[in-house]
Amino acid sequence: MDSLGSSYRAVVIGATGGLGQAFVEHLRNDPNCGDVAALSRNSEPPIDVISEASVASAAAWLRERSAEWDLMIDATGVLTIEGHRPEKRLSEIDPAVMARGFAVNAIGPALLLKHLTPLLPRTRRCIFASLSARVGSIEDNRLGGWVSYRASKAALNQILRTAAVELRISHRQLVVASLQPGTVATRLSAPYRSRAPEVLTPEYAACRLLEVLDGLEREQSGEFFDYEGQRLPF
């Protein structure tokens, strides 16, 4: 990435997932990147996005490592929950499963924003990005189904947009972005990608998404983009 200058510092949350690992690899190979913190439930320190204490502890660890971090990528998310696949119809809604999806896909990123954004620099360009999904677009929903997953990703998009509005005062060069990575060959998509028109490798998707982030302007903060850089409707 060129837009963050030399020796920028990056954090990837969800670093053991397919896309998370690919982000970490690309960033570690970027000569402009001075440090990469790869965090997950299995890292040291561990981070569990549904536990505020865990997120706060990870934030404190990051602050000890460096006072500022220029790039934060949230690569967490859940689709199949304890064997429960996305609902095909309203009659299949399970409130406990739905709540779990919201906890990981929406509340977790909100906690990351709460505890990690104070580590973003206030006087230079910085980026906070989270992985969303095209099915989280309300306007684009023409097929129905997948109620819980769609709703949790729509909530995530709203959380990111709201954060962008609030933080544009304190962090004038911050870009907050919601990202649609496409259908990627990861464990998350494995049961569903047979119908996808195109399946991307994690390495390719991560590379394209980093290129998209690199090219976003401050005025585009709070918007929703796919891996080709196209703005998606909320």
Side-chain angles (χ1 to χ4, degrees), residues 20-33:
Q21 290 182 52
F23 278 124
V24 170
E25 181 178 355
H26 276 290
L27 291 167
R28 285 178 174 165
N29 289 329
D30 183 355
N32 285 331
C33 187

Side-chain angles (χ1 to χ4, degrees), residues 59-86:
W61 178 84
L62 286 169
R63 187 180 296 277
E64 290 180 359
R65 184 160 165 172
S66 176
E68 294 181 330
W69 294 82
D70 305 281
L71 173 63
M72 297 179 177
I73 297 178
D74 166 30
T76 63
V78 65
L79 179 52
T80 299
I81 301 171
E82 298 176 354
H84 294 272
R85 293 192 175 193

Side-chain angles (χ1 to χ4, degrees), residues 122-170:
R122 291 172 176 258
T123 59
R124 63 178 183 271
R125 177 177 170 86
C126 52
I127 299 170
F128 184 101
S130 190
L131 297 184
S132 186
R134 184 180 293 273
V135 296
S137 169
I138 295 173
E139 184 178 337
D140 192 56
N141 183 1
R142 295 176 177 83
L143 298 176
W146 289 35
V147 180
S148 298
Y149 188 68
R150 286 182 184 275
S152 68
K153 289 300 188 178
L156 168 63
N157 291 344
Q158 180 67 282
I159 290 165
L160 291 167
R161 181 59 176 261
T162 302
V165 172
E166 176 181 335
L167 293 170
R168 66 186 178 192
I169 298 174
S170 58

Side-chain angles (χ1 to χ4, degrees), residues 71-228:
L71 173 63
M72 297 179 177
I73 297 178
D74 166 30
T76 63
V78 65
L79 179 52
T80 299
I81 301 171
E82 298 176 354
H84 294 272
R85 293 192 175 193
E87 316 94 338
K88 293 182 179 180
R89 54 190 64 87
L90 295 172
S91 61
E92 296 176 2
I93 291 175
D94 181 319
V97 174
M98 191 175 199
R100 175 73 178 185
F102 267 80
V104 176
N105 294 335
I107 299 174
L111 292 175
L112 295 177
L113 285 161
K114 176 181 177 180
H115 290 280
L116 297 189
T117 54
L119 301 176
L120 291 167
R122 291 172 176 258
T123 59
R124 63 178 183 271
R125 177 177 170 86
C126 52
I127 299 170
F128 184 101
S130 190
L131 297 184
S132 186
R134 184 180 293 273
V135 296
S137 169
I138 295 173
E139 184 178 337
D140 192 56
N141 183 1
R142 295 176 177 83
L143 298 176
W146 289 35
V147 180
S148 298
Y149 188 68
R150 286 182 184 275
S152 68
K153 289 300 188 178
L156 168 63
N157 291 344
Q158 180 67 282
I159 290 165
L160 291 167
R161 181 59 176 261
T162 302
V165 172
E166 176 181 335
L167 293 170
R168 66 186 178 192
I169 298 174
S170 58
H171 296 73
R172 295 185 179 276
Q173 297 186 55
L174 169 63
V175 173
V176 177
S178 181
L179 299 175
Q180 141 67 0
T183 301
V184 184
T186 64
R187 286 180 297 175
L188 182 145
S189 69
Y192 316 102
R193 58 178 180 251
S194 61
R195 297 182 181 180
E198 181 180 25
V199 178
L200 310 177
T201 66
E203 294 75 20
Y204 178 78
C207 181
R208 291 303 304 270
L209 291 171
L210 288 171
E211 289 174 353
V212 170
L213 292 176
D214 206 23
L216 293 181
E217 300 292 339
R218 170 64 187 85
E219 293 73 23
Q220 295 172 295
S221 184
E223 297 183 359
F224 185 17
F225 299 94
D226 69 11
Y227 65 95
E228 295 181 328

